[in-house]
Amino acid sequence: MRTFRRRLTLIMMSLVGISMLAAGVTMAQVYKDSHIRALKENMAREILLLESTFDFLPMDSAEASDYYTAKARELEDVTDSRVTFIMRDGTVVGDSEMTSAEMDNHAHREEIESSVRDKIGSAIRYSETIGEDMLYVAHGVTSANGNFDGFIRLSMSLAAVGQEMNKGWYYMGGGLMILFLVAAFVSFRVAAGLTRPLEKITRVANRISRLEYDARVDLYRRDEIGQLGAAINGMADSLQQQLKVIRDNEELMESVLANMTGGIIMIDSSGNIALLNRVAEKIMHVSSDQIQGKSYQVLKRNYELLKFVEEGITRQEFLREERTIYNPEERILQLDAVPMFEDDDSYKGLLVHLQDVTEIRRLERMRSEFVANVSHELKTPIAAVKGFAETLLAGGVADKETERSFLQIIHDEGERLNRLIGDILELSKIESKRAPLEYAPVHLKDLFDNIIEMLGSSAAKKNISLNHYIPEHLFMEGDEDRLRQIFVNLLSNAISYTQEGGKVRIDCEITGTPDEEKITITINDTGIGIPKKDLPRIFERFYRVDKARSRSSGGTGLGLSIVKHLVELHRGTIRVESKIGEGSSFILELPIMQHTSETGSI
Ligand code: ADP
């Protein structure tokens, strides 16, 4: 742009310069011509004046030549010109500069010849005599007294004219220079006025190409440049709008992809991974940056998935399959392959949807296992009740003692059945989250006093010491009935699985952070302990370490799983530490305050 402005200024200045030079030269020529013409006219007038006033002497007189020469010299002083008297035949009779004898015949001088033709003749010529350009003006003169018939010639050096001319040139040069500077300034302004808006437009166009779509040209002109600015603004407007639409669409697509619960992988027609969302990244343990744009073969770590994609690409039809991948943990994926086609039915790529169904399948398996377990658990006491009742009915039992013991078994098994059904119902109630927890401040010491009173007799029966060490004024927010259920369950277990004379104790301390204060309650016994291999599983439903012992203690195998659910509803955790033969500790961590917005429910 700068060069354009410079070039424009230069062109304008050269044009001005050239035209001014041409004007100057023409003016000089005109000036010179008119000056010479004025000189000529002046000289002609002087000759005419001489013709009428000069006292011509006859030619034949002996002193004629001297006379004319002397007169010529006189006249030179007056007229400031060289004066020459020339006879009709060209003989010089007098000259102000030289003697007539020195001078040759002048009949063929240009000015003489032309004065014969035109009455007044003139010529400009270099004079060897004077060594300058001279203007000669000659006029045919015939004196009234008939003494002279010839020509009077005046000549003048043009050096004076040259000097005048130089002066003229000097003034004109100065004037031209000033004019030229003014013209330069004006043309610079004009060029700047022309290029500045162009520069503005270029700047805006550059900004737009650097993706600054809010750049606008602020030109308010009606001419072509104004129209160009408006066109650029219009272009930027439409770009901005289109970009917004594109961005909105992109955001929409991104948020859809990011918030989908399933994984999405898009493979283009050449088999490269065009896109994958966060869930897919998580399932496959890859990052989209690493594999986007690469061939789907990079999925080889997820072999089953790779095979599925391969099948989808070759078959180009909707496929749905469930496959297990190991990456490294086992995951069950439901895979959908949807081929995509262009309008003209040409294949565009493959969309693969991954749904992690591991959890669903695990729950399904658990549910069916649970049903199998429940029926099994129910069958045992029912079989016992049925068997003993049948024996009694058949009347095969003679002594009263045996009969009584049979009836006791029927009663106990009935009780167990009742407990079992009660626990199953309880568990299903908790799991289906039907009854909400009712939070209230719970005074822990009172709660444990109450529980120990309740379980005191069964502990005393086994001579087990049962103590708690709860600070006096400790409160926590929770559902008191549910908390009681938790601790009764844990303490009953502790008493059940501890031998005679053992110890069961409850400790309590405040833990957590100042932001989230917690209470850690430990229920510790000196009982039989739990084998290490069973530790991870004892919170599972119906899981019992020793079936026979559990049964004999009246356990259902559901207690700990109910406990775990209830603890979690209170936003707490439970874990177990145990050493076989030494005892077990169940450690609960519960928040002191519940956030009411997250009210748990059962
Ligand atoms: P149960 O009704 O059989 O006691 P739970 O779910 O309450 O069922 O407990 C599961 C299993 O965990 C029990 O069968 C028992 O083997 C073991 N267990 C629970 N508490 C203790 C404990 N305090 N000491 C030793 N083993 C325990």
Side-chain angles (χ1 to χ4, degrees):
M1 199 51 73
R2 298 231 162 264
T3 55
F4 176 60
R5 186 194 289 184
R6 211 174 299 144
R7 209 177 301 152
L8 201 64
T9 315
L10 219 68
I11 290 172
M12 287 172 75
M13 280 170 61
S14 331
L15 282 177
V16 169
I18 290 170
S19 50
M20 287 176 84
L21 209 69
V25 169
T26 319
M27 269 166 67
Q29 199 55 51
V30 169
Y31 175 77
K32 190 177 172 185
D33 287 352
S34 71
H35 195 77
I36 289 175
R37 198 180 314 122
L39 266 182
K40 253 194 241 169
E41 278 167 10
N42 223 13
M43 285 157 84
R45 253 195 315 273
E46 282 170 358
I47 296 173
L48 287 178
L49 206 66
L50 275 180
E51 184 180 18
S52 57
T53 56
F54 194 77
D55 186 13
F56 294 99
L57 277 196
M59 282 298 144
D60 44 11
S61 63
E63 61 276 18
S65 178
D66 294 338
Y67 174 79
Y68 279 103
T69 304
K71 279 294 173 189
R73 286 194 178 140
E74 254 170 54
L75 284 170
E76 179 173 17
D77 293 339
V78 182
T79 57
D80 240 353
S81 335
R82 176 181 176 189
V83 181
T84 317
F85 292 94
I86 303 160
M87 304 274 285
R88 187 67 55 195
D89 61 0
T91 319
V92 176
V93 282
D95 183 75
S96 56
E97 304 271 325
M98 290 166 48
T99 59
S100 43
E102 286 172 318
M103 294 176 72
D104 51 6
N105 190 297
H106 272 46
H108 295 295
R109 293 288 198 274
E110 193 188 341
E111 64 276 11
I112 300 299
E113 279 184 342
S114 69
S115 91
V116 172
R117 271 198 318 273
D118 307 328
K119 194 126 175 83
I120 286 199
S122 69
I124 292 171
R125 174 166 81 243
Y126 185 76
S127 159
E128 298 288 345
T129 330
I130 295 167
E132 277 173 10
D133 267 342
M134 301 288 289
L135 170 65
Y136 298 92
V137 177
H139 197 292
V141 172
T142 310
S143 67
N145 55 17
N147 287 344
F148 184 82
D149 181 30
F151 306 91
I152 297 179
R153 186 183 78 171
L154 295 187
S155 57
M156 214 178 193
S157 160
L158 281 183
V161 180
Q163 260 167 26
E164 279 292 301
M165 282 297 294
N166 279 348
K167 221 194 275 172
W169 268 118
Y170 182 71
Y171 285 127
M172 203 162 68
L176 280 181
M177 203 59 212
I178 291 169
L179 220 69
F180 186 72
L181 286 177
V182 171
F185 178 71
V186 169
S187 54
F188 178 79
R189 289 297 300 264
V190 170
L194 211 69
T195 54
R196 199 165 296 134
L198 287 178
E199 283 172 13
K200 245 186 200 174
I201 292 173
T202 310
R203 260 200 308 277
V204 169
N206 282 336
R207 282 179 61 195
I208 292 173
S209 68
R210 284 196 304 268
L211 310 183
E212 290 175 40
Y213 293 115
D214 52 349
R216 292 289 181 280
V217 183
D218 56 342
L219 277 181
Y220 306 100
R221 319 170 32 147
R222 286 172 166 273
D223 58 5
E224 286 82 350
I225 289 178
Q227 284 169 13
L228 176 63
I232 294 264
N233 284 349
M235 188 185 79
D237 278 347
S238 101
L239 271 177
Q240 205 172 18
Q241 247 168 31
Q242 283 175 34
L243 197 81
K244 191 178 163 347
V245 172
I246 292 172
R247 285 218 175 112
D248 285 352
N249 281 342
E250 210 169 85
E251 267 171 28
L252 197 74
M253 196 178 93
E254 263 172 20
S255 80
V256 168
L257 279 177
N259 294 300
M260 275 179 74
T261 52
I264 288 284
I265 309 174
M266 206 168 106
I267 290 154
D268 65 19
S269 55
S270 41
N272 293 331
I273 296 171
L275 186 133
L276 75 163
N277 70 350
R278 236 182 287 150
V279 181
E281 287 181 303
K282 224 170 110 193
I283 292 176
M284 298 187 298
H285 291 295
V286 290
S287 98
S288 130
D289 299 345
Q290 284 168 0
I291 66 168
Q292 211 160 1
K294 294 192 182 152
S295 157
Y296 72 90
Q297 296 288 348
V298 294
L299 301 174
K300 59 179 173 291
R301 259 209 303 167
N302 302 278
Y303 184 74
E304 286 293 321
L305 182 66
L306 179 77
K307 287 284 136 203
F308 179 76
V309 170
E310 225 154 48
E311 205 178 321
I313 290 174
T314 32
R315 291 189 27 198
Q316 295 189 3
E317 59 186 38
F318 176 74
L319 299 177
R320 168 170 286 178
E321 272 178 41
E322 220 167 271
R323 301 217 177 174
T324 308
I325 61 163
Y326 302 91
N327 188 13
E329 76 276 22
E330 184 185 294
R331 299 249 127 226
I332 304 165
L333 299 182
Q334 179 178 295
L335 302 171
D336 288 337
V338 186
M340 300 179 294
F341 297 99
E342 301 270 18
D343 290 343
D344 59 358
D345 282 348
S346 60
Y347 173 69
K348 200 168 91 178
L350 188 74
L351 197 64
V352 183
H353 182 248
L354 300 84
Q355 190 77 44
D356 187 343
V357 291
T358 318
E359 199 55 22
I360 300 171
R361 296 291 172 264
R362 192 180 70 84
L363 287 175
E364 279 172 2
R365 204 178 54 236
M366 267 172 64
R367 190 140 292 150
S368 62
E369 274 173 15
F370 181 63
V371 172
N373 280 335
V374 166
S375 11
H376 177 76
E377 294 291 332
L378 290 176
K379 246 197 234 155
T380 328
I382 286 172
V385 168
K386 203 172 155 240
F388 285 106
E390 275 171 0
T391 316
L392 284 175
L393 280 176
V397 183
D399 64 310
K400 278 272 170 216
E401 189 110 348
T402 319
E403 196 183 286
R404 220 192 118 65
S405 80
F406 276 23
L407 284 171
Q408 185 64 48
I409 292 173
I410 290 173
H411 175 264
D412 288 353
E413 290 298 316
E415 273 291 299
R416 240 170 70 74
L417 209 55
N418 194 25
R419 263 202 314 279
L420 197 62
I421 289 167
D423 277 357
I424 291 169
L425 288 177
E426 181 70 25
L427 197 62
S428 99
K429 206 162 100 185
I430 297 169
E431 279 193 342
S432 63
K433 302 184 174 173
R434 267 185 310 226
L437 290 188
E438 280 171 18
Y439 292 126
V442 178
H443 187 245
L444 283 175
K445 189 168 180 298
D446 279 356
L447 178 69
F448 278 99
D449 281 344
N450 184 278
I451 295 171
I452 286 178
E453 206 181 301
M454 205 170 110
L455 299 176
S457 60
S458 53
K461 254 190 230 162
K462 290 176 81 176
N463 197 20
I464 291 172
S465 75
L466 179 58
N467 294 304
H468 72 69
Y469 302 90
I470 311 275
E472 181 61 46
H473 298 297
L474 193 55
F475 280 89
M476 70 168 277
E477 202 181 1
D479 183 322
E480 185 159 352
D481 287 341
R482 298 300 174 186
L483 288 176
R484 179 178 289 111
Q485 208 177 344
I486 292 171
F487 296 120
V488 166
N489 252 305
L490 292 172
L491 286 168
S492 317
N493 277 351
I495 296 168
S496 295
Y497 301 106
T498 301
Q499 310 88 327
E500 294 253 335
K503 279 187 194 138
V504 175
R505 58 177 285 158
I506 301 135
D507 289 285
C508 180
E509 60 176 326
I510 295 180
T511 53
T513 60
D515 283 347
E516 169 94 274
E517 277 194 315
K518 291 187 174 171
I519 287 186
T520 303
I521 299 170
T522 312
I523 290 160
N524 172 265
D525 63 55
T526 57
I528 57 170
I530 303 162
K532 206 168 174 197
K533 69 169 173 47
D534 297 304
L535 281 176
R537 300 197 60 189
I538 59 161
F539 293 102
E540 285 177 18
R541 285 173 294 200
F542 297 115
Y543 192 81
R544 281 167 291 207
V545 175
D546 180 341
K547 275 206 169 20
R549 187 194 286 266
S550 165
R551 183 150 300 136
S552 70
S553 69
T556 58
L558 291 174
L560 284 183
S561 113
I562 292 174
V563 164
K564 188 167 185 336
H565 269 97
L566 290 174
V567 168
E568 280 168 1
L569 282 179
H570 277 88
R571 299 195 303 118
T573 55
I574 181 164
R575 63 195 167 85
V576 60
E577 288 171 4
S578 184
K579 239 184 185 166
I580 197 104
E582 286 182 18
S584 316
S585 288
F586 285 84
I587 302 141
L588 284 86
E589 212 177 53
L590 293 161
I592 288 189
M593 299 297 291
Q594 294 294 336
H595 300 292
T596 36
S597 59
E598 300 169 23
T599 314
S601 57
I602 55 172

